[in-house]
Amino acid sequence: MNSVESSFRDPSGYVFEEDNEIYRTVNYCYKENYDFLLSSGLCDNLVKKGYLISHEELEESKFKDVYKVLKPVKIPFISYPYEWSFSQLKDAALLTLKVQYLALKYGMILKDASAYNVQFLDGKPVFIDTLSFEIYKEGQSWNGYKQFCQHFLAPLLLMSYKDLRLNQLLKTNIDGIPLDLLNSILPITAKFVPSIFFNVCVQAKLQKDCEKRDIDYKKKSHITKQQLVLINTKLQDLVNSLKFPLKDSEWGDYYTFTNYDKAAFESKKSIINSYIDKVHPKTLWDFGANNGLFTRLASSMGIESVAFDIDPIACEKNYNMIKKNNEKFLLPVLFDLTNPSPNIGWANKERVEISLRQKPDLIMGLALIHHIAISNNVPLESIAKYFSALSEYMILEFVPKEDSQVQKLLATREDIFPAYNAEGFELAFSKYYNIVEKKEVVNSKRILYLLKAI
Amino acid sequence: MINRYSKFYFYISLIPLIVMLALHSQPADAYINPGSGSDLFQIIYSGILSVLMFFKTIFLKIKGVFIKTDNKEDKYE
């Protein structure tokens, strides 16, 4: 049994992994809340709506000191809020608010509002923390309000009003972006919107004031349930009103595949398909996936696929396509291969690097290697070493110097890459991989390799 | 929804803000720190929203006399 390292904050239970399955304990201190969650019908309703991850209760458990052991549906790939596109984060925020709205209807309330309680399954966000609900007590405020603002509202406002890349502040602020920081970055135009003015400016000011003053917590205050519902609906309205910062016309044709003619494109597709068939993977990661065009070759076969890309616009397009076509088995992840998501949080183990989250059966790197080797000066051998540790098999497209995409990269810099050619590539990769197959893409000088790690 | 009515109510509702700033929050019985500022904020904000809703409800009731609206599915669920 391996206890999941991020599962230590909530005394209600903990998550552990055994035989590649995920389990969640329900401690005795949470018994009353858990029983109410089930008996009230809230759990069933949330699961029916696809808002809450479904679980089964283990009838027999080796743990005698816990009330129940749950076996929730396993999320294929755990992703973090700083790896989500704008719409992914927005949908996760709305899901959290809808869950809170329904919980209040059933006489319960969310005790937290962490963005890490949301994951993506079958292209949709789903709430994964079954123990986040507690019985509502008349007059109480929402303890997760501050957390919701820091985890969801702050990055969404910054992305919408300032810059898409500012969601990366979630990496350095594991419990969300502090509201005073948000207040100092957010443009003044945003603060003219009443709900933003209140939720950001007023709340940040009150937080500062309360830090300084010695507040008497014993004094009773009272918020009615109707008022909590009202706050929730206004938050939903605010989140719903936030728009992706680029207009459709500005990013609709953001990516065009002008480097391929139709024959080359079909050839590339067919080679990739044949390689995938050979490996027969259950899980696949595609690095530099762009808007997921080639990742879909795998996900459409029912292979659980993750489409990593550094570009927030590409990830946004990918996610919107998934939503529009109701696609499954595909998850876009915002990811910088030259500076991957690090191990962060307590003991550097709360949120971990991708290699500690899953070992995929196959990885792909299409039209990618020139970006790493030439734009970032990473030696080919070092690239091979990194990829070979991630998965046993890899489909890699070698893009030679004559290719117009590489020429573009070299146009503004000195060519200090004498070994960047097919022979040099094969030599460097041979230390970590055997070449299973190699095929040239027609009407192109590109080569597609199927590699197996040594 | 930010429309011209809600903006009007927004300025009216600033009055109770001053009064409510004097309020304090109740004890926090939570495993995360809810933040006393955010707790206090909810009291103030919900008060303001309640005032807005009061006016909005009156407006909608008057509007309802002239225009019939269908019962829509709860969009917040």
Side-chain angles (χ1 to χ4, degrees), chain A residues 37 44 52 131 155 162 168 230 297 313 319 340 396:
Chain A
L37 174 71
D44 280 347
L52 178 67
L131 311 190
K162 190 79 182 175
Q168 293 306 299
L230 194 56
L297 294 177
I313 300 174
Y319 180 65
L396 198 140

Side-chain angles (χ1 to χ4, degrees), chain A residues 186-202:
Chain A
L186 204 61
I188 189 128
T189 46
K191 295 174 187 173
F192 280 111
V193 178
S195 51
I196 297 178
F197 169 76
F198 273 104
N199 278 293
V200 179
C201 307
V202 176

Side-chain angles (χ1 to χ4, degrees), chain A residues 255-275:
Chain A
Y255 278 103
T256 48
F257 294 89
T258 48
N259 204 25
Y260 292 101
D261 61 22
K262 201 165 179 261
F265 178 67
E266 289 303 325
S267 160
K268 184 169 168 175
K269 252 171 63 174
S270 141
I271 298 168
I272 293 167
N273 269 329
S274 73
Y275 287 175

